[in-house]
Amino acid sequence: MRTRHPKARWTSLVLAATVVGGLTACSDDGKSPTAAKSSATHAATAAPTGAARNEPAGPTATDVRDPVVAGELARGLNTPWGLAPLPDKDALVSSRDTGAIVRIGPGTPTPTTVGTVPGAVHRGEGGLLGLALSPNYANDHFLYAYLTTAEDNRIVRMTYLPDQPLGQPQVLLSGIPAGSNHNGGRIAFGPDGMLYAGTGEAGEKPNAQDPGSLGGKILRVTPEGKPAPGNPFPNSPVWSLGHRNVQGLAWDSTGRLWASEFGQDTWDELNLIRSGANYGWPVVEGSGNDPRYVNPVAQWATDDASPSGIAILGDVVYLASLKGERLWQAPIDGSTVAPPKAFLQGKYGRLRTVVAVAPGEMWLVTNETDGRGSPREGDDRVLRVVLS
């Protein structure tokens, strides 16, 4: 039985909410365990633009090269989820199920646990999820984390310095709905210095359209966890709404936010995010051409994607796919993308997180030990991917 939690109250958020009832037991692989196989075509498509975006022309991809695996940075990881690059070229990786934070990278040949985040509770898809390093890390030494607790999902921060104990977490934002499925969990600092978080509707579809819920949203807060200046709704952390389960956030060269989203049984999505915009869930899955909602710029059959993390290099979007077991490449073309192309299909299993770490280089996290994969010797891994 799913525990219900009090909603965070943002009473000054004024928004017409469309609510469609019904619960779903869908996983972050996209499909319901009891759903019939989708009859949608198994080809990625650039989706029609639908509702007017009023967007500028936007960038054009400048570095469309094939991604290839150039090496293995870590192996033997337990349910890795988030990855935060460090200034010294190493990185921190979260373990969803254990709540541990592990240091990996060229300077740490053997993965080393630096601490465990108290209060993180693994249930279903929940646990210790996204990580992000403070933009001012050199001075404040803050590490941010998104985690599931016994009551909710929340964002915390703690100090991290090499060779010192992990600091005690300070709660910055709580009351994000939690459930066995659809917890969101990705956090990232934008070019504006604000912290963005992708949340899920926690299996309760109405959360996505509910102005009083933090579920099914993209949130934007200050580094202290307060609603960020310039947010579209006064005194609210909500940046966009109408999302099912957002686990990928990345910015292009002009500072525009892109996000990946798990569909239910038909379409997974890549969205170009606008402040205050509504992306339609649960009324619409994929392109609905309903003027109330913004269509995705690309969509995939759920068997082919279930995209979690995304990265942008040279104005090319890369999507790490779980059920699809492949890395999708989608070059940005103005306010849409060129037809996506798949790489690494079936070679490394489920792919959870991809992070740009340098020009022409990404780190890719596999996810075979999360209970839905088929772990092989050495799983899970962090792979070094370069553009060839």
Side-chain angles (χ1 to χ4, degrees):
M1 178 178 294
R2 182 180 294 113
T3 303
R4 294 180 181 269
H5 309 296
K7 294 176 181 174
R9 299 187 181 277
W10 304 98
T11 55
S12 62
L13 174 57
V14 179
L15 181 70
T18 302
V19 175
V20 173
L23 303 181
T24 178
C26 300
S27 71
D28 70 359
D29 282 345
K31 298 189 75 173
S32 165
T34 58
K37 185 175 180 65
S38 170
S39 61
T41 176
H42 281 220
T45 63
T49 54
R53 295 181 179 277
N54 296 319
E55 292 278 354
T60 299
T62 58
D63 197 7
V64 187
R65 292 179 285 159
D66 291 355
V68 297
V69 173
E72 187 178 276
L73 293 157
R75 57 168 38 212
L77 300 176
N78 185 338
T79 58
W81 210 100
L83 185 147
L86 293 165
D88 63 4
K89 310 302 182 184
D90 275 5
L92 299 175
V93 179
S94 62
S95 169
R96 185 195 71 179
D97 293 6
T98 70
I101 295 178
V102 178
R103 185 182 176 108
I104 61 100
T108 309
T110 301
T112 302
T113 300
V114 302
T116 299
V117 180
V121 175
H122 165 57
R123 50 191 175 109
E125 295 168 5
L128 182 60
L129 303 177
L131 298 177
L133 216 63
S134 166
N136 195 32
Y137 177 78
N139 296 314
D140 60 31
H141 310 300
F142 282 138
L143 172 68
Y144 291 72
Y146 184 112
L147 66 148
T148 309
T149 74
E151 294 81 29
D152 59 5
N153 285 305
R154 57 184 59 179
I155 298 171
V156 303
R157 73 178 179 188
M158 62 211 96
T159 56
Y160 169 72
L161 282 168
D163 304 318
Q164 293 189 22
L166 192 66
Q168 287 298 305
Q170 173 192 3
V171 177
L172 301 182
L173 182 65
S174 59
I176 303 169
S180 296
N181 298 319
H182 308 178
N183 290 287
R186 195 69 60 186
I187 55 174
F189 278 94
D192 56 2
M194 299 295 111
L195 182 65
Y196 292 73
T199 74
E201 29 84 313
E204 303 282 353
K205 292 181 180 180
N207 282 339
Q209 295 289 331
D210 182 353
S213 172
L214 298 183
K217 310 293 191 299
I218 293 176
L219 309 178
R220 177 176 177 264
V221 297
T222 69
E224 291 72 41
K226 305 299 182 183
N231 278 3
F233 311 111
N235 302 314
S236 170
V238 171
W239 186 248
S240 63
L241 67 156
H243 299 289
R244 184 172 180 267
N245 192 17
V246 174
Q247 290 186 4
L249 301 170
W251 287 263
D252 64 26
S253 64
T254 62
R256 301 183 305 173
L257 174 61
W258 299 72
S260 62
E261 182 163 343
F262 290 98
Q264 180 168 266
D265 298 317
T266 308
W267 295 117
D268 293 322
E269 300 178 2
L270 174 65
N271 287 298
L272 178 56
I273 302 301
R274 297 204 327 256
S275 169
N278 190 324
Y279 290 80
W281 180 255
V283 183
V284 177
E285 178 183 1
S287 296
N289 297 317
D290 185 322
R292 295 174 297 174
Y293 311 118
V294 178
N295 279 344
V297 296
Q299 58 189 29
W300 291 260
T302 55
D303 281 348
D304 294 340
S306 298
S308 185
I310 67 173
I312 296 179
L313 278 174
D315 284 322
V316 178
V317 182
Y318 295 88
L319 299 90
S321 296
L322 290 163
K323 192 176 183 68
E325 297 187 354
R326 66 200 77 176
L327 183 68
W328 285 101
Q329 179 194 69
I332 296 173
D333 183 7
S335 291
T336 185
V337 294
K341 184 178 178 181
F343 293 87
L344 311 181
Q345 186 169 343
K347 291 186 177 181
Y348 299 97
R350 295 159 54 80
L351 305 178
R352 170 66 71 179
T353 295
V354 59
V355 176
V357 296
E361 181 176 344
M362 299 171 280
W363 289 7
L364 181 63
V365 180
T366 72
N367 209 182
E368 288 289 289
T369 60
D370 72 343
R372 296 194 177 101
S374 301
R376 296 169 289 185
E377 182 180 358
D379 284 336
D380 268 312
R381 312 160 194 265
V382 178
L383 305 172
R384 179 173 176 263
V385 176
V386 297
L387 301 180
S388 65

